[in-house]
Amino acid sequence: MPYDQRQTPYLDAALRYRARGFTPFHTPGHKLGKGAPDGLVELLGETCLSVDIAMAGGVEDTRESTHLIRLAEDYAAEAWGADRTWFLVNGSTSGIHALVLTLCGPGDTVIIPRNAHKSMLAGLIFSGAMPVYLEPAVDPLWGIPLNVPPEAARAALAAHPEARAVFVTSPTYNGLCADLAAIADLAHAAGVPFVTDQAWGPHLRFCPELPVDAMTAGADAAVVSTHKLISGITQTSVLMARGERINRARLDGMVHLTQSTSPQVLMYASVDAARAQMATEGDALWRGALELAVWARAEIAGLPGLRCLGDEVLAEDGVVAFDRTRLTVSAGDLGLTGFELETALRDDYGIAVEAADPLNIVLNVTYGDSRADVERLVAALAGCSARLAHRAGAGGSAAPAGLLGRAPAFTRQMLSPRAAFFAPSAALPVAACAGRVSAEMVTPYPPGIPVLGPGELISDEIVAYLLEAAAKSLKVHGPEDRALGTLRVVL
Ligand SMILES: Cc1ncc(COP(=O)(O)O)c(C=O)c1O
């Protein structure tokens, strides 16, 4: 390894900038905190504000230089097993946009999973490409998407020899992992690049006890959210590419097209630090986290009326590995939706969850948790269970969620997402939308997986889902009318 992974060239440069004591005549206007309002100083602290500058502000050796960020990205490329990485300040979202724009233009076909994050559909709106969906099965008990099986990718590639790329999401929001190596082989045999949305797997590469990572499995490109499960601060991610199937010069251009022109030094420095931490201590840190999560899962599964997704999921369609640090918990047997369980944990026990949906909550266990933290979580869930144990078995797990417990089936893509998005359209009452083509995307958030995309035929099932979502005030992204009274359809 040419690089000493303990080094943090970009973080060090930020520290040097502070030590130099520059008098700044550059952005931001608060000038290293000197002009910042008191509340902001109280929130961020003088230390943080004193390096809150955009990259062009002088952390590099000259104002316009980018050589230190490239060095930090090269360290990251070595750590994640790529030829090139890009640090991102607008999340994996912007990495997915850049990849889609690099790999497919107007009218091109691209094979993507139905459980792709909404950033993928946004990428298709930007690029004009047409999706061919790989549809992972949905677990009937948990209502969560499983993984895309290699056979589905094989069939799609055979039916669409014109496809320009295959994208797969792995791990899923719930930590379920696809057979990436098999899908990579199929894509490569068909002569197309294979990309993994590994937003939920920034840590996988660093601990052999965790599922295999995209680069090891043979992906040509991947994106990881360093802010989701490792120490990058919020919004940071890393895009990576390897080999010759991806035009890296074009990808570089697309990264610059989709990123802010004022990337923040603190964000870059945090990715640099997160990479060094993972490369040097990741194995030990994640083994510790795994131990805590495995303990918590067993405890939670033993509480009356509660379930915690476990290794049984490995028997499900397309799932070949499972990140056991992710805890998906249901109190459906106590008659609680995921939202109600989230509220109980927050209001009564001071526990903040990663996500809640109509059926479940999702909790992340990382190296940042102590044994006491995880014991507190288990005690809180035990409290919920004890208070409501008399209801156990009354509702049945799907009852509280109703139709929202499961995303409606995909129908047909009538127009490209871009064509539908920009077509003349009208807002109709949702009840009148069956048989029409959607001009909008509807995405319950979290987990950010669209239930309807622009250009898709709206079925009775989708209408029923949206009516129930409106009645239950489900939080959705995408439509102009976020209360879902109306939906824009193509005229
Ligand atoms: C599977 C998946 N991909 C991409 C993203 C976008 O990541 P980011 O929030 O880093 O932009 C998310 C966010 O939740 C996600 O779940």
mmCIF file of all heavy atoms in Angstrom, residues 90-94 96 117 119 169 171 173 197 199-200 225 227-228 236-237 445 447, ligand 1:
data_model
loop_
_atom_site.group_PDB
_atom_site.id
_atom_site.type_symbol
_atom_site.label_atom_id
_atom_site.label_comp_id
_atom_site.label_asym_id
_atom_site.label_seq_id
_atom_site.Cartn_x
_atom_site.Cartn_y
_atom_site.Cartn_z
ATOM 1 N N ASN A 90 -23.046 16.749 -1.382
ATOM 2 C CA ASN A 90 -24.515 16.695 -1.471
ATOM 3 C C ASN A 90 -24.981 15.245 -1.451
ATOM 4 O O ASN A 90 -25.914 14.856 -2.142
ATOM 5 C CB ASN A 90 -25.018 17.413 -2.724
ATOM 6 C CG ASN A 90 -26.535 17.544 -2.714
ATOM 7 O OD1 ASN A 90 -27.146 17.502 -1.642
ATOM 8 N ND2 ASN A 90 -27.139 17.650 -3.868
ATOM 9 N N GLY A 91 -24.303 14.466 -0.613
ATOM 10 C CA GLY A 91 -24.750 13.105 -0.372
ATOM 11 C C GLY A 91 -24.563 12.169 -1.554
ATOM 12 O O GLY A 91 -24.114 12.569 -2.645
ATOM 13 N N SER A 92 -24.940 10.914 -1.317
ATOM 14 C CA SER A 92 -24.923 9.921 -2.397
ATOM 15 C C SER A 92 -25.875 10.347 -3.501
ATOM 16 O O SER A 92 -25.715 9.964 -4.663
ATOM 17 C CB SER A 92 -25.317 8.553 -1.852
ATOM 18 O OG SER A 92 -24.307 8.091 -0.992
ATOM 19 N N THR A 93 -26.876 11.121 -3.134
ATOM 20 C CA THR A 93 -27.814 11.668 -4.116
ATOM 21 C C THR A 93 -27.057 12.253 -5.313
ATOM 22 O O THR A 93 -27.335 11.909 -6.467
ATOM 23 C CB THR A 93 -28.664 12.767 -3.428
ATOM 24 O OG1 THR A 93 -29.468 12.133 -2.438
ATOM 25 C CG2 THR A 93 -29.535 13.531 -4.401
ATOM 26 N N SER A 94 -26.086 13.112 -5.051
ATOM 27 C CA SER A 94 -25.399 13.773 -6.172
ATOM 28 C C SER A 94 -24.484 12.792 -6.899
ATOM 29 O O SER A 94 -24.250 12.938 -8.103
ATOM 30 C CB SER A 94 -24.621 14.993 -5.686
ATOM 31 O OG SER A 94 -23.670 14.615 -4.724
ATOM 32 N N ILE A 96 -25.206 9.660 -7.440
ATOM 33 C CA ILE A 96 -26.091 8.894 -8.327
ATOM 34 C C ILE A 96 -26.464 9.751 -9.546
ATOM 35 O O ILE A 96 -26.453 9.274 -10.681
ATOM 36 C CB ILE A 96 -27.319 8.384 -7.548
ATOM 37 C CG1 ILE A 96 -26.839 7.301 -6.569
ATOM 38 C CG2 ILE A 96 -28.403 7.845 -8.473
ATOM 39 C CD1 ILE A 96 -27.844 6.868 -5.541
ATOM 40 N N HIS A 117 -33.445 4.387 -4.781
ATOM 41 C CA HIS A 117 -33.717 5.647 -4.083
ATOM 42 C C HIS A 117 -34.207 6.693 -5.086
ATOM 43 O O HIS A 117 -33.892 6.637 -6.274
ATOM 44 C CB HIS A 117 -32.411 6.109 -3.426
ATOM 45 C CG HIS A 117 -32.542 7.344 -2.596
ATOM 46 N ND1 HIS A 117 -32.086 8.563 -3.025
ATOM 47 C CD2 HIS A 117 -33.057 7.551 -1.361
ATOM 48 C CE1 HIS A 117 -32.297 9.468 -2.081
ATOM 49 N NE2 HIS A 117 -32.895 8.884 -1.056
ATOM 50 N N SER A 119 -33.225 9.488 -5.810
ATOM 51 C CA SER A 119 -32.167 10.190 -6.549
ATOM 52 C C SER A 119 -31.928 9.534 -7.911
ATOM 53 O O SER A 119 -31.507 10.178 -8.870
ATOM 54 C CB SER A 119 -30.867 10.221 -5.752
ATOM 55 O OG SER A 119 -30.534 8.931 -5.299
ATOM 56 N N THR A 169 -29.279 -1.575 -5.793
ATOM 57 C CA THR A 169 -29.165 -1.005 -4.444
ATOM 58 C C THR A 169 -28.818 -2.123 -3.467
ATOM 59 O O THR A 169 -29.566 -3.086 -3.344
ATOM 60 C CB THR A 169 -30.519 -0.381 -4.013
ATOM 61 O OG1 THR A 169 -30.903 0.583 -4.987
ATOM 62 C CG2 THR A 169 -30.405 0.256 -2.648
ATOM 63 N N PRO A 171 -26.352 -2.472 0.396
ATOM 64 C CA PRO A 171 -27.486 -2.957 1.165
ATOM 65 C C PRO A 171 -28.720 -2.081 0.957
ATOM 66 O O PRO A 171 -28.610 -0.926 0.585
ATOM 67 C CB PRO A 171 -27.010 -2.822 2.633
ATOM 68 C CG PRO A 171 -25.554 -2.531 2.598
ATOM 69 C CD PRO A 171 -25.256 -1.950 1.268
ATOM 70 N N TYR A 173 -32.177 -0.332 2.714
ATOM 71 C CA TYR A 173 -32.351 0.455 3.952
ATOM 72 C C TYR A 173 -32.312 -0.450 5.185
ATOM 73 O O TYR A 173 -31.872 -0.044 6.257
ATOM 74 C CB TYR A 173 -33.703 1.176 3.898
ATOM 75 C CG TYR A 173 -33.720 2.470 4.668
ATOM 76 C CD1 TYR A 173 -33.521 3.678 4.026
ATOM 77 C CD2 TYR A 173 -33.918 2.489 6.046
ATOM 78 C CE1 TYR A 173 -33.515 4.869 4.720
ATOM 79 C CE2 TYR A 173 -33.915 3.671 6.751
ATOM 80 C CZ TYR A 173 -33.713 4.864 6.082
ATOM 81 O OH TYR A 173 -33.705 6.043 6.781
ATOM 82 N N ASP A 197 -25.491 1.118 -5.713
ATOM 83 C CA ASP A 197 -25.848 2.165 -4.755
ATOM 84 C C ASP A 197 -25.614 1.549 -3.376
ATOM 85 O O ASP A 197 -26.456 0.819 -2.849
ATOM 86 C CB ASP A 197 -27.315 2.578 -4.934
ATOM 87 C CG ASP A 197 -27.761 3.559 -3.852
ATOM 88 O OD1 ASP A 197 -26.991 3.789 -2.889
ATOM 89 O OD2 ASP A 197 -28.883 4.084 -3.958
ATOM 90 N N ALA A 199 -25.113 3.291 -0.625
ATOM 91 C CA ALA A 199 -25.248 4.397 0.329
ATOM 92 C C ALA A 199 -25.212 3.882 1.760
ATOM 93 O O ALA A 199 -24.605 4.496 2.642
ATOM 94 C CB ALA A 199 -26.549 5.148 0.056
ATOM 95 N N TRP A 200 -25.831 2.710 1.983
ATOM 96 C CA TRP A 200 -25.896 2.157 3.346
ATOM 97 C C TRP A 200 -24.741 1.200 3.655
ATOM 98 O O TRP A 200 -24.818 0.441 4.614
ATOM 99 C CB TRP A 200 -27.256 1.468 3.570
ATOM 100 C CG TRP A 200 -28.320 2.486 3.793
ATOM 101 C CD1 TRP A 200 -29.261 2.911 2.897
ATOM 102 C CD2 TRP A 200 -28.512 3.286 4.959
ATOM 103 N NE1 TRP A 200 -30.019 3.912 3.446
ATOM 104 C CE2 TRP A 200 -29.587 4.159 4.707
ATOM 105 C CE3 TRP A 200 -27.879 3.352 6.207
ATOM 106 C CZ2 TRP A 200 -30.046 5.087 5.649
ATOM 107 C CZ3 TRP A 200 -28.335 4.271 7.140
ATOM 108 C CH2 TRP A 200 -29.407 5.118 6.856
ATOM 109 N N SER A 225 -22.523 6.541 1.441
ATOM 110 C CA SER A 225 -22.805 7.722 2.260
ATOM 111 C C SER A 225 -21.944 7.653 3.510
ATOM 112 O O SER A 225 -22.259 6.912 4.452
ATOM 113 C CB SER A 225 -24.292 7.778 2.636
ATOM 114 O OG SER A 225 -25.098 8.052 1.524
ATOM 115 N N HIS A 227 -21.789 9.793 5.654
ATOM 116 C CA HIS A 227 -22.517 10.394 6.782
ATOM 117 C C HIS A 227 -23.539 9.439 7.374
ATOM 118 O O HIS A 227 -24.069 9.688 8.444
ATOM 119 C CB HIS A 227 -23.225 11.684 6.339
ATOM 120 C CG HIS A 227 -24.377 11.452 5.404
ATOM 121 N ND1 HIS A 227 -25.675 11.404 5.840
ATOM 122 C CD2 HIS A 227 -24.428 11.238 4.066
ATOM 123 C CE1 HIS A 227 -26.478 11.200 4.789
ATOM 124 N NE2 HIS A 227 -25.737 11.082 3.706
ATOM 125 N N LYS A 228 -23.843 8.343 6.671
ATOM 126 C CA LYS A 228 -24.917 7.495 7.190
ATOM 127 C C LYS A 228 -24.430 6.603 8.336
ATOM 128 O O LYS A 228 -25.063 6.525 9.377
ATOM 129 C CB LYS A 228 -25.513 6.628 6.076
ATOM 130 C CG LYS A 228 -26.375 7.400 5.082
ATOM 131 C CD LYS A 228 -27.284 6.463 4.322
ATOM 132 C CE LYS A 228 -27.908 7.086 3.094
ATOM 133 N NZ LYS A 228 -28.745 8.254 3.361
ATOM 134 N N THR A 236 -22.102 14.226 3.642
ATOM 135 C CA THR A 236 -20.899 13.790 2.929
ATOM 136 C C THR A 236 -21.061 12.370 2.394
ATOM 137 O O THR A 236 -21.665 11.509 3.039
ATOM 138 C CB THR A 236 -19.656 13.817 3.837
ATOM 139 O OG1 THR A 236 -19.878 12.939 4.960
ATOM 140 C CG2 THR A 236 -19.345 15.212 4.325
ATOM 141 N N SER A 237 -20.492 12.146 1.218
ATOM 142 C CA SER A 237 -20.482 10.807 0.617
ATOM 143 C C SER A 237 -19.227 10.666 -0.225
ATOM 144 O O SER A 237 -18.520 11.649 -0.458
ATOM 145 C CB SER A 237 -21.703 10.607 -0.276
ATOM 146 O OG SER A 237 -22.877 10.492 0.497
ATOM 147 N N TYR A 445 -41.161 9.194 2.611
ATOM 148 C CA TYR A 445 -39.820 9.428 3.153
ATOM 149 C C TYR A 445 -39.830 9.381 4.665
ATOM 150 O O TYR A 445 -40.569 10.116 5.268
ATOM 151 C CB TYR A 445 -39.288 10.787 2.698
ATOM 152 C CG TYR A 445 -37.815 10.708 2.437
ATOM 153 C CD1 TYR A 445 -37.319 10.517 1.159
ATOM 154 C CD2 TYR A 445 -36.916 10.762 3.495
ATOM 155 C CE1 TYR A 445 -35.966 10.396 0.919
ATOM 156 C CE2 TYR A 445 -35.562 10.641 3.257
ATOM 157 C CZ TYR A 445 -35.088 10.462 1.977
ATOM 158 O OH TYR A 445 -33.747 10.325 1.762
ATOM 159 N N PRO A 447 -38.438 5.475 3.442
ATOM 160 C CA PRO A 447 -37.041 5.290 3.072
ATOM 161 C C PRO A 447 -36.637 5.976 1.777
ATOM 162 O O PRO A 447 -35.517 5.798 1.334
ATOM 163 C CB PRO A 447 -36.950 3.771 2.922
ATOM 164 C CG PRO A 447 -38.296 3.385 2.384
ATOM 165 C CD PRO A 447 -39.278 4.344 2.997
HETATM 166 C C1 LIG B 1 -30.413 3.470 -0.963
HETATM 167 C C2 LIG B 1 -30.123 4.939 -0.891
HETATM 168 N N1 LIG B 1 -29.429 5.510 -1.883
HETATM 169 C C3 LIG B 1 -29.119 6.823 -1.870
HETATM 170 C C4 LIG B 1 -29.519 7.624 -0.828
HETATM 171 C C5 LIG B 1 -29.161 9.070 -0.846
HETATM 172 O O1 LIG B 1 -28.129 9.281 0.063
HETATM 173 P P1 LIG B 1 -27.767 10.719 0.640
HETATM 174 O O2 LIG B 1 -28.721 10.981 1.747
HETATM 175 O O3 LIG B 1 -26.353 10.530 1.114
HETATM 176 O O4 LIG B 1 -27.884 11.706 -0.453
HETATM 177 C C6 LIG B 1 -30.257 7.077 0.232
HETATM 178 C C7 LIG B 1 -30.711 7.915 1.342
HETATM 179 O O5 LIG B 1 -31.377 7.509 2.238
HETATM 180 C C8 LIG B 1 -30.569 5.688 0.195
HETATM 181 O O6 LIG B 1 -31.292 5.113 1.177
#
